[in-house]
mmCIF file of all heavy atoms in Angstrom:
data_model
loop_
_atom_site.group_PDB
_atom_site.id
_atom_site.type_symbol
_atom_site.label_atom_id
_atom_site.label_comp_id
_atom_site.label_asym_id
_atom_site.label_seq_id
_atom_site.Cartn_x
_atom_site.Cartn_y
_atom_site.Cartn_z
ATOM 1 N N LYS A 1085 18.652 -4.435 -8.806
ATOM 2 C CA LYS A 1085 19.099 -5.773 -8.413
ATOM 3 C C LYS A 1085 19.606 -5.788 -6.986
ATOM 4 O O LYS A 1085 19.481 -6.767 -6.277
ATOM 5 C CB LYS A 1085 20.203 -6.254 -9.356
ATOM 6 C CG LYS A 1085 19.730 -6.546 -10.760
ATOM 7 C CD LYS A 1085 20.884 -7.026 -11.589
ATOM 8 C CE LYS A 1085 20.458 -7.252 -13.048
ATOM 9 N NZ LYS A 1085 21.574 -7.686 -13.879
ATOM 10 N N ILE A 1086 20.175 -4.641 -6.572
ATOM 11 C CA ILE A 1086 20.794 -4.611 -5.251
ATOM 12 C C ILE A 1086 19.883 -3.944 -4.229
ATOM 13 O O ILE A 1086 19.744 -4.407 -3.112
ATOM 14 C CB ILE A 1086 22.133 -3.850 -5.334
ATOM 15 C CG1 ILE A 1086 23.066 -4.606 -6.265
ATOM 16 C CG2 ILE A 1086 22.763 -3.680 -3.970
ATOM 17 C CD1 ILE A 1086 24.314 -3.868 -6.613
ATOM 18 N N LEU A 1087 19.232 -2.859 -4.633
ATOM 19 C CA LEU A 1087 18.510 -2.044 -3.660
ATOM 20 C C LEU A 1087 17.017 -2.343 -3.580
ATOM 21 O O LEU A 1087 16.402 -2.186 -2.540
ATOM 22 C CB LEU A 1087 18.702 -0.559 -3.994
ATOM 23 C CG LEU A 1087 20.153 -0.067 -3.964
ATOM 24 C CD1 LEU A 1087 20.221 1.377 -4.425
ATOM 25 C CD2 LEU A 1087 20.719 -0.204 -2.570
ATOM 26 N N GLN A 1088 16.390 -2.727 -4.722
ATOM 27 C CA GLN A 1088 14.945 -2.886 -4.729
ATOM 28 C C GLN A 1088 14.525 -4.177 -4.041
ATOM 29 O O GLN A 1088 15.094 -5.228 -4.277
ATOM 30 C CB GLN A 1088 14.428 -2.879 -6.173
ATOM 31 C CG GLN A 1088 12.910 -2.705 -6.233
ATOM 32 C CD GLN A 1088 12.461 -2.412 -7.643
ATOM 33 O OE1 GLN A 1088 13.284 -2.312 -8.534
ATOM 34 N NE2 GLN A 1088 11.179 -2.266 -7.824
ATOM 35 N N LEU A 1089 13.543 -4.088 -3.164
ATOM 36 C CA LEU A 1089 13.028 -5.239 -2.433
ATOM 37 C C LEU A 1089 11.686 -5.669 -3.021
ATOM 38 O O LEU A 1089 10.923 -4.831 -3.520
ATOM 39 C CB LEU A 1089 12.842 -4.893 -0.952
ATOM 40 C CG LEU A 1089 14.132 -4.519 -0.197
ATOM 41 C CD1 LEU A 1089 13.788 -4.064 1.201
ATOM 42 C CD2 LEU A 1089 15.077 -5.703 -0.155
ATOM 43 N N PRO A 1090 11.349 -6.921 -2.967
ATOM 44 C CA PRO A 1090 10.060 -7.369 -3.499
ATOM 45 C C PRO A 1090 8.912 -6.821 -2.662
ATOM 46 O O PRO A 1090 9.010 -6.722 -1.451
ATOM 47 C CB PRO A 1090 10.141 -8.896 -3.385
ATOM 48 C CG PRO A 1090 11.174 -9.141 -2.346
ATOM 49 C CD PRO A 1090 12.140 -8.032 -2.442
ATOM 50 N N GLU A 1091 7.829 -6.442 -3.361
ATOM 51 C CA GLU A 1091 6.669 -5.881 -2.666
ATOM 52 C C GLU A 1091 5.634 -6.980 -2.409
ATOM 53 O O GLU A 1091 5.320 -7.766 -3.287
ATOM 54 C CB GLU A 1091 6.008 -4.800 -3.529
ATOM 55 C CG GLU A 1091 6.919 -3.602 -3.787
ATOM 56 C CD GLU A 1091 6.214 -2.576 -4.655
ATOM 57 O OE1 GLU A 1091 4.994 -2.727 -4.860
ATOM 58 O OE2 GLU A 1091 6.886 -1.643 -5.127
ATOM 59 N N PRO A 1092 5.109 -7.052 -1.194
ATOM 60 C CA PRO A 1092 4.044 -8.027 -0.916
ATOM 61 C C PRO A 1092 2.732 -7.606 -1.598
ATOM 62 O O PRO A 1092 2.456 -6.414 -1.741
ATOM 63 C CB PRO A 1092 3.917 -7.971 0.614
ATOM 64 C CG PRO A 1092 4.414 -6.617 0.986
ATOM 65 C CD PRO A 1092 5.450 -6.256 -0.011
ATOM 66 N N TYR A 1093 1.959 -8.590 -2.034
ATOM 67 C CA TYR A 1093 0.695 -8.280 -2.696
ATOM 68 C C TYR A 1093 -0.374 -7.937 -1.655
ATOM 69 O O TYR A 1093 -0.586 -8.697 -0.714
ATOM 70 C CB TYR A 1093 0.227 -9.466 -3.541
ATOM 71 C CG TYR A 1093 -1.158 -9.262 -4.134
ATOM 72 C CD1 TYR A 1093 -1.313 -8.413 -5.231
ATOM 73 C CD2 TYR A 1093 -2.274 -9.880 -3.569
ATOM 74 C CE1 TYR A 1093 -2.567 -8.209 -5.765
ATOM 75 C CE2 TYR A 1093 -3.523 -9.666 -4.098
ATOM 76 C CZ TYR A 1093 -3.676 -8.833 -5.202
ATOM 77 O OH TYR A 1093 -4.909 -8.629 -5.713
ATOM 78 N N ILE A 1094 -0.949 -6.750 -1.797
ATOM 79 C CA ILE A 1094 -2.029 -6.317 -0.900
ATOM 80 C C ILE A 1094 -3.192 -5.836 -1.760
ATOM 81 O O ILE A 1094 -3.024 -4.988 -2.636
ATOM 82 C CB ILE A 1094 -1.559 -5.185 0.030
ATOM 83 C CG1 ILE A 1094 -0.417 -5.693 0.921
ATOM 84 C CG2 ILE A 1094 -2.703 -4.671 0.879
ATOM 85 C CD1 ILE A 1094 0.219 -4.633 1.768
ATOM 86 N N GLU A 1095 -4.362 -6.373 -1.508
ATOM 87 C CA GLU A 1095 -5.551 -6.020 -2.310
ATOM 88 C C GLU A 1095 -6.025 -4.637 -1.931
ATOM 89 O O GLU A 1095 -6.203 -4.321 -0.757
ATOM 90 C CB GLU A 1095 -6.671 -7.028 -2.033
ATOM 91 C CG GLU A 1095 -7.842 -6.863 -2.998
ATOM 92 C CD GLU A 1095 -8.896 -7.913 -2.759
ATOM 93 O OE1 GLU A 1095 -8.631 -8.844 -1.966
ATOM 94 O OE2 GLU A 1095 -9.961 -7.804 -3.338
ATOM 95 N N LYS A 1096 -6.214 -3.777 -2.943
ATOM 96 C CA LYS A 1096 -6.634 -2.398 -2.697
ATOM 97 C C LYS A 1096 -8.162 -2.304 -2.765
ATOM 98 O O LYS A 1096 -8.787 -2.963 -3.584
ATOM 99 C CB LYS A 1096 -6.018 -1.466 -3.749
ATOM 100 C CG LYS A 1096 -4.492 -1.404 -3.672
ATOM 101 C CD LYS A 1096 -3.959 -0.430 -4.679
ATOM 102 C CE LYS A 1096 -2.443 -0.380 -4.622
ATOM 103 N NZ LYS A 1096 -1.889 0.561 -5.595
ATOM 104 N N PRO A 1097 -8.736 -1.461 -1.904
ATOM 105 C CA PRO A 1097 -10.215 -1.300 -1.932
ATOM 106 C C PRO A 1097 -10.673 -0.566 -3.191
ATOM 107 O O PRO A 1097 -9.898 0.179 -3.796
ATOM 108 C CB PRO A 1097 -10.486 -0.477 -0.674
ATOM 109 C CG PRO A 1097 -9.220 0.255 -0.422
ATOM 110 C CD PRO A 1097 -8.120 -0.641 -0.871
ATOM 111 N N ILE A 1098 -11.917 -0.782 -3.524
ATOM 112 C CA ILE A 1098 -12.492 -0.131 -4.728
ATOM 113 C C ILE A 1098 -12.820 1.304 -4.371
ATOM 114 O O ILE A 1098 -13.425 1.585 -3.343
ATOM 115 C CB ILE A 1098 -13.778 -0.854 -5.192
ATOM 116 C CG1 ILE A 1098 -13.414 -2.309 -5.528
ATOM 117 C CG2 ILE A 1098 -14.413 -0.150 -6.364
ATOM 118 C CD1 ILE A 1098 -14.619 -3.162 -5.790
ATOM 119 N N VAL A 1099 -12.420 2.229 -5.247
ATOM 120 C CA VAL A 1099 -12.676 3.657 -5.016
ATOM 121 C C VAL A 1099 -13.723 4.130 -6.016
ATOM 122 O O VAL A 1099 -13.829 3.607 -7.115
ATOM 123 C CB VAL A 1099 -11.376 4.473 -5.166
ATOM 124 C CG1 VAL A 1099 -10.427 4.146 -4.046
ATOM 125 C CG2 VAL A 1099 -10.718 4.226 -6.507
ATOM 126 N N LYS A 1100 -14.506 5.142 -5.637
ATOM 127 C CA LYS A 1100 -15.628 5.600 -6.469
ATOM 128 C C LYS A 1100 -15.283 6.860 -7.224
ATOM 129 O O LYS A 1100 -15.574 6.971 -8.395
ATOM 130 C CB LYS A 1100 -16.848 5.834 -5.586
ATOM 131 C CG LYS A 1100 -17.375 4.540 -4.972
ATOM 132 C CD LYS A 1100 -18.591 4.798 -4.124
ATOM 133 C CE LYS A 1100 -19.140 3.514 -3.511
ATOM 134 N NZ LYS A 1100 -20.324 3.739 -2.678
ATOM 135 N N THR A 1101 -14.743 7.864 -6.551
ATOM 136 C CA THR A 1101 -14.463 9.145 -7.213
ATOM 137 C C THR A 1101 -12.954 9.380 -7.214
ATOM 138 O O THR A 1101 -12.240 8.868 -6.359
ATOM 139 C CB THR A 1101 -15.160 10.306 -6.471
ATOM 140 O OG1 THR A 1101 -14.606 10.355 -5.161
ATOM 141 C CG2 THR A 1101 -16.646 10.068 -6.398
ATOM 142 N N PRO A 1102 -12.484 10.220 -8.166
ATOM 143 C CA PRO A 1102 -11.049 10.534 -8.202
ATOM 144 C C PRO A 1102 -10.569 11.168 -6.908
ATOM 145 O O PRO A 1102 -9.485 10.906 -6.445
ATOM 146 C CB PRO A 1102 -10.915 11.504 -9.373
ATOM 147 C CG PRO A 1102 -12.100 11.219 -10.226
ATOM 148 C CD PRO A 1102 -13.205 10.798 -9.335
ATOM 149 N N GLN A 1103 -11.473 12.060 -6.322
ATOM 150 C CA GLN A 1103 -11.061 12.729 -5.096
ATOM 151 C C GLN A 1103 -10.899 11.723 -3.964
ATOM 152 O O GLN A 1103 -9.931 11.728 -3.229
ATOM 153 C CB GLN A 1103 -12.122 13.774 -4.736
ATOM 154 C CG GLN A 1103 -11.590 14.798 -3.720
ATOM 155 C CD GLN A 1103 -12.556 15.938 -3.543
ATOM 156 O OE1 GLN A 1103 -13.750 15.800 -3.800
ATOM 157 N NE2 GLN A 1103 -12.068 17.068 -3.123
ATOM 158 N N GLU A 1104 -11.910 10.815 -3.820
ATOM 159 C CA GLU A 1104 -11.822 9.788 -2.789
ATOM 160 C C GLU A 1104 -10.645 8.867 -3.070
ATOM 161 O O GLU A 1104 -9.957 8.445 -2.165
ATOM 162 C CB GLU A 1104 -13.121 8.972 -2.767
ATOM 163 C CG GLU A 1104 -14.281 9.746 -2.145
ATOM 164 C CD GLU A 1104 -15.563 8.934 -2.201
ATOM 165 O OE1 GLU A 1104 -15.531 7.824 -2.771
ATOM 166 O OE2 GLU A 1104 -16.564 9.401 -1.693
ATOM 167 N N ASP A 1105 -10.430 8.580 -4.346
ATOM 168 C CA ASP A 1105 -9.314 7.703 -4.727
ATOM 169 C C ASP A 1105 -7.980 8.292 -4.256
ATOM 170 O O ASP A 1105 -7.108 7.579 -3.791
ATOM 171 C CB ASP A 1105 -9.300 7.549 -6.242
ATOM 172 C CG ASP A 1105 -8.191 6.611 -6.664
ATOM 173 O OD1 ASP A 1105 -8.119 5.500 -6.107
ATOM 174 O OD2 ASP A 1105 -7.391 7.009 -7.519
ATOM 175 N N LYS A 1106 -7.851 9.614 -4.298
ATOM 176 C CA LYS A 1106 -6.637 10.278 -3.868
ATOM 177 C C LYS A 1106 -6.384 10.035 -2.396
ATOM 178 O O LYS A 1106 -5.289 9.648 -1.977
ATOM 179 C CB LYS A 1106 -6.740 11.775 -4.183
ATOM 180 C CG LYS A 1106 -5.510 12.572 -3.756
ATOM 181 C CD LYS A 1106 -5.704 14.036 -4.063
ATOM 182 C CE LYS A 1106 -4.490 14.830 -3.581
ATOM 183 N NZ LYS A 1106 -4.645 16.267 -3.810
ATOM 184 N N TYR A 1107 -7.410 10.230 -1.557
ATOM 185 C CA TYR A 1107 -7.226 10.078 -0.110
ATOM 186 C C TYR A 1107 -7.070 8.619 0.278
ATOM 187 O O TYR A 1107 -6.271 8.278 1.143
ATOM 188 C CB TYR A 1107 -8.405 10.698 0.637
ATOM 189 C CG TYR A 1107 -8.405 12.211 0.560
ATOM 190 C CD1 TYR A 1107 -9.390 12.867 -0.170
ATOM 191 C CD2 TYR A 1107 -7.406 12.948 1.177
ATOM 192 C CE1 TYR A 1107 -9.385 14.248 -0.245
ATOM 193 C CE2 TYR A 1107 -7.403 14.322 1.105
ATOM 194 C CZ TYR A 1107 -8.399 14.975 0.398
ATOM 195 O OH TYR A 1107 -8.368 16.321 0.318
ATOM 196 N N HIS A 1108 -7.858 7.746 -0.409
ATOM 197 C CA HIS A 1108 -7.738 6.327 -0.102
ATOM 198 C C HIS A 1108 -6.358 5.788 -0.505
ATOM 199 O O HIS A 1108 -5.816 4.928 0.171
ATOM 200 C CB HIS A 1108 -8.837 5.530 -0.838
ATOM 201 C CG HIS A 1108 -10.153 5.606 -0.123
ATOM 202 N ND1 HIS A 1108 -10.391 4.933 1.043
ATOM 203 C CD2 HIS A 1108 -11.297 6.282 -0.431
ATOM 204 C CE1 HIS A 1108 -11.637 5.187 1.441
ATOM 205 N NE2 HIS A 1108 -12.193 6.002 0.553
ATOM 206 N N PHE A 1109 -5.833 6.339 -1.562
ATOM 207 C CA PHE A 1109 -4.494 5.908 -2.016
ATOM 208 C C PHE A 1109 -3.437 6.210 -0.951
ATOM 209 O O PHE A 1109 -2.589 5.398 -0.640
ATOM 210 C CB PHE A 1109 -4.148 6.630 -3.340
ATOM 211 C CG PHE A 1109 -2.776 6.338 -3.830
ATOM 212 C CD1 PHE A 1109 -2.509 5.128 -4.459
ATOM 213 C CD2 PHE A 1109 -1.744 7.254 -3.643
ATOM 214 C CE1 PHE A 1109 -1.223 4.846 -4.912
ATOM 215 C CE2 PHE A 1109 -0.480 6.970 -4.077
ATOM 216 C CZ PHE A 1109 -0.229 5.764 -4.729
ATOM 217 N N ALA A 1110 -3.541 7.410 -0.351
ATOM 218 C CA ALA A 1110 -2.597 7.795 0.708
ATOM 219 C C ALA A 1110 -2.717 6.864 1.902
ATOM 220 O O ALA A 1110 -1.728 6.438 2.479
ATOM 221 C CB ALA A 1110 -2.853 9.240 1.140
ATOM 222 N N GLU A 1111 -3.959 6.523 2.291
ATOM 223 C CA GLU A 1111 -4.159 5.616 3.428
ATOM 224 C C GLU A 1111 -3.586 4.232 3.124
ATOM 225 O O GLU A 1111 -2.958 3.622 3.965
ATOM 226 C CB GLU A 1111 -5.644 5.500 3.724
ATOM 227 C CG GLU A 1111 -6.227 6.772 4.358
ATOM 228 C CD GLU A 1111 -7.726 6.667 4.580
ATOM 229 O OE1 GLU A 1111 -8.276 5.580 4.311
ATOM 230 O OE2 GLU A 1111 -8.310 7.660 4.995
ATOM 231 N N GLU A 1112 -3.793 3.775 1.888
ATOM 232 C CA GLU A 1112 -3.341 2.434 1.549
ATOM 233 C C GLU A 1112 -1.802 2.335 1.559
ATOM 234 O O GLU A 1112 -1.253 1.326 1.921
ATOM 235 C CB GLU A 1112 -3.865 2.037 0.160
ATOM 236 C CG GLU A 1112 -5.330 1.635 0.167
ATOM 237 C CD GLU A 1112 -5.577 0.518 1.143
ATOM 238 O OE1 GLU A 1112 -4.799 -0.453 1.150
ATOM 239 O OE2 GLU A 1112 -6.526 0.612 1.932
ATOM 240 N N ILE A 1113 -1.110 3.419 1.170
ATOM 241 C CA ILE A 1113 0.358 3.431 1.199
ATOM 242 C C ILE A 1113 0.846 3.256 2.628
ATOM 243 O O ILE A 1113 1.761 2.503 2.920
ATOM 244 C CB ILE A 1113 0.905 4.743 0.599
ATOM 245 C CG1 ILE A 1113 0.675 4.801 -0.897
ATOM 246 C CG2 ILE A 1113 2.402 4.883 0.893
ATOM 247 C CD1 ILE A 1113 1.402 3.725 -1.649
ATOM 248 N N GLU A 1114 0.184 3.942 3.561
ATOM 249 C CA GLU A 1114 0.558 3.839 4.980
ATOM 250 C C GLU A 1114 0.384 2.417 5.469
ATOM 251 O O GLU A 1114 1.227 1.844 6.144
ATOM 252 C CB GLU A 1114 -0.328 4.808 5.790
ATOM 253 C CG GLU A 1114 0.111 5.003 7.221
ATOM 254 C CD GLU A 1114 1.363 5.847 7.316
ATOM 255 O OE1 GLU A 1114 1.579 6.680 6.424
ATOM 256 O OE2 GLU A 1114 2.124 5.641 8.270
ATOM 257 N N GLU A 1115 -0.776 1.813 5.125
ATOM 258 C CA GLU A 1115 -1.069 0.448 5.560
ATOM 259 C C GLU A 1115 -0.105 -0.535 4.906
ATOM 260 O O GLU A 1115 0.379 -1.465 5.548
ATOM 261 C CB GLU A 1115 -2.512 0.109 5.183
ATOM 262 C CG GLU A 1115 -2.953 -1.269 5.682
ATOM 263 C CD GLU A 1115 -4.377 -1.583 5.270
ATOM 264 O OE1 GLU A 1115 -5.048 -0.690 4.734
ATOM 265 O OE2 GLU A 1115 -4.793 -2.718 5.470
ATOM 266 N N GLU A 1116 0.227 -0.282 3.633
ATOM 267 C CA GLU A 1116 1.118 -1.177 2.917
ATOM 268 C C GLU A 1116 2.515 -1.177 3.533
ATOM 269 O O GLU A 1116 3.144 -2.208 3.687
ATOM 270 C CB GLU A 1116 1.191 -0.743 1.458
ATOM 271 C CG GLU A 1116 2.050 -1.658 0.593
ATOM 272 C CD GLU A 1116 2.023 -1.214 -0.834
ATOM 273 O OE1 GLU A 1116 0.981 -0.712 -1.266
ATOM 274 O OE2 GLU A 1116 3.039 -1.365 -1.507
ATOM 275 N N GLU A 1117 2.971 0.035 3.964
ATOM 276 C CA GLU A 1117 4.281 0.134 4.598
ATOM 277 C C GLU A 1117 4.317 -0.661 5.886
ATOM 278 O O GLU A 1117 5.245 -1.400 6.154
ATOM 279 C CB GLU A 1117 4.600 1.604 4.884
ATOM 280 C CG GLU A 1117 4.920 2.407 3.635
ATOM 281 C CD GLU A 1117 5.036 3.884 3.940
ATOM 282 O OE1 GLU A 1117 5.005 4.224 5.133
ATOM 283 O OE2 GLU A 1117 5.164 4.676 3.008
ATOM 284 N N THR A 1118 3.258 -0.513 6.701
ATOM 285 C CA THR A 1118 3.224 -1.203 7.990
ATOM 286 C C THR A 1118 3.221 -2.715 7.797
ATOM 287 O O THR A 1118 3.972 -3.443 8.428
ATOM 288 C CB THR A 1118 1.958 -0.790 8.771
ATOM 289 O OG1 THR A 1118 1.937 0.629 8.859
ATOM 290 C CG2 THR A 1118 1.968 -1.386 10.171
ATOM 291 N N LEU A 1119 2.368 -3.185 6.873
ATOM 292 C CA LEU A 1119 2.288 -4.618 6.620
ATOM 293 C C LEU A 1119 3.595 -5.149 6.045
ATOM 294 O O LEU A 1119 4.053 -6.234 6.409
ATOM 295 C CB LEU A 1119 1.130 -4.905 5.653
ATOM 296 C CG LEU A 1119 -0.287 -4.755 6.248
ATOM 297 C CD1 LEU A 1119 -1.309 -4.864 5.147
ATOM 298 C CD2 LEU A 1119 -0.531 -5.792 7.327
ATOM 299 N N SER A 1120 4.195 -4.350 5.133
ATOM 300 C CA SER A 1120 5.430 -4.788 4.514
ATOM 301 C C SER A 1120 6.546 -4.949 5.547
ATOM 302 O O SER A 1120 7.247 -5.938 5.566
ATOM 303 C CB SER A 1120 5.844 -3.786 3.437
ATOM 304 O OG SER A 1120 7.058 -4.173 2.874
ATOM 305 N N LEU A 1121 6.672 -3.980 6.428
ATOM 306 C CA LEU A 1121 7.695 -4.040 7.475
ATOM 307 C C LEU A 1121 7.457 -5.219 8.392
ATOM 308 O O LEU A 1121 8.374 -5.946 8.759
ATOM 309 C CB LEU A 1121 7.695 -2.739 8.292
ATOM 310 C CG LEU A 1121 8.381 -1.536 7.645
ATOM 311 C CD1 LEU A 1121 8.130 -0.285 8.474
ATOM 312 C CD2 LEU A 1121 9.871 -1.780 7.518
ATOM 313 N N GLN A 1122 6.195 -5.436 8.748
ATOM 314 C CA GLN A 1122 5.862 -6.542 9.669
ATOM 315 C C GLN A 1122 6.164 -7.886 9.015
ATOM 316 O O GLN A 1122 6.757 -8.773 9.636
ATOM 317 C CB GLN A 1122 4.373 -6.453 10.052
ATOM 318 C CG GLN A 1122 3.942 -7.515 11.061
ATOM 319 C CD GLN A 1122 2.510 -7.308 11.504
ATOM 320 O OE1 GLN A 1122 2.154 -6.227 11.893
ATOM 321 N NE2 GLN A 1122 1.695 -8.338 11.412
ATOM 322 N N ASP A 1123 5.751 -8.015 7.737
ATOM 323 C CA ASP A 1123 6.013 -9.268 7.023
ATOM 324 C C ASP A 1123 7.502 -9.534 6.900
ATOM 325 O O ASP A 1123 7.968 -10.673 7.050
ATOM 326 C CB ASP A 1123 5.377 -9.216 5.620
ATOM 327 C CG ASP A 1123 3.852 -9.282 5.703
ATOM 328 O OD1 ASP A 1123 3.344 -9.622 6.791
ATOM 329 O OD2 ASP A 1123 3.199 -8.989 4.692
ATOM 330 N N LYS A 1124 8.233 -8.471 6.597
ATOM 331 C CA LYS A 1124 9.679 -8.624 6.457
ATOM 332 C C LYS A 1124 10.308 -9.067 7.774
ATOM 333 O O LYS A 1124 11.209 -9.906 7.814
ATOM 334 C CB LYS A 1124 10.318 -7.308 5.987
ATOM 335 C CG LYS A 1124 10.106 -7.020 4.525
ATOM 336 C CD LYS A 1124 10.836 -8.059 3.712
ATOM 337 C CE LYS A 1124 10.432 -7.948 2.254
ATOM 338 N NZ LYS A 1124 10.970 -9.066 1.481
ATOM 339 N N GLU A 1125 9.847 -8.458 8.848
ATOM 340 C CA GLU A 1125 10.389 -8.801 10.162
ATOM 341 C C GLU A 1125 10.104 -10.258 10.507
ATOM 342 O O GLU A 1125 10.974 -10.989 10.991
ATOM 343 C CB GLU A 1125 9.796 -7.880 11.236
ATOM 344 C CG GLU A 1125 10.486 -8.025 12.577
ATOM 345 C CD GLU A 1125 10.011 -6.969 13.554
ATOM 346 O OE1 GLU A 1125 8.806 -6.637 13.539
ATOM 347 O OE2 GLU A 1125 10.821 -6.498 14.358
ATOM 348 N N ILE A 1126 8.860 -10.717 10.224
ATOM 349 C CA ILE A 1126 8.491 -12.120 10.488
ATOM 350 C C ILE A 1126 9.349 -13.055 9.652
ATOM 351 O O ILE A 1126 9.862 -14.064 10.133
ATOM 352 C CB ILE A 1126 6.983 -12.337 10.181
ATOM 353 C CG1 ILE A 1126 6.136 -11.574 11.214
ATOM 354 C CG2 ILE A 1126 6.630 -13.827 10.211
ATOM 355 C CD1 ILE A 1126 4.668 -11.509 10.875
#
């Protein structure tokens, strides 16, 4: 209630293999952080 912030909805790309899904997941977290910070700042 005090610490958790609402997360903006970001559409994730479709992944084909578990291995690719692993690397794409890491990239998407980075992008999500950047967008989240920017949105919050705006």
Side-chain angles (χ1 to χ4, degrees):
K1085 291 181 183 178
I1086 297 170
L1087 299 175
Q1088 194 168 358
L1089 297 174
E1091 297 180 10
Y1093 174 76
I1094 298 174
E1095 190 177 351
K1096 296 183 181 180
I1098 300 171
V1099 292
K1100 294 181 180 180
T1101 62
Q1103 197 171 23
E1104 286 177 357
D1105 182 51
K1106 180 182 178 182
Y1107 289 111
H1108 280 287
F1109 176 77
E1111 288 177 4
E1112 283 304 314
I1113 290 297
E1114 191 73 28
E1115 184 181 352
E1116 183 177 326
E1117 288 172 7
T1118 306
L1119 288 172
S1120 178
L1121 282 172
Q1122 183 175 309
D1123 289 346
K1124 284 294 170 188
E1125 190 172 38
I1126 292 170

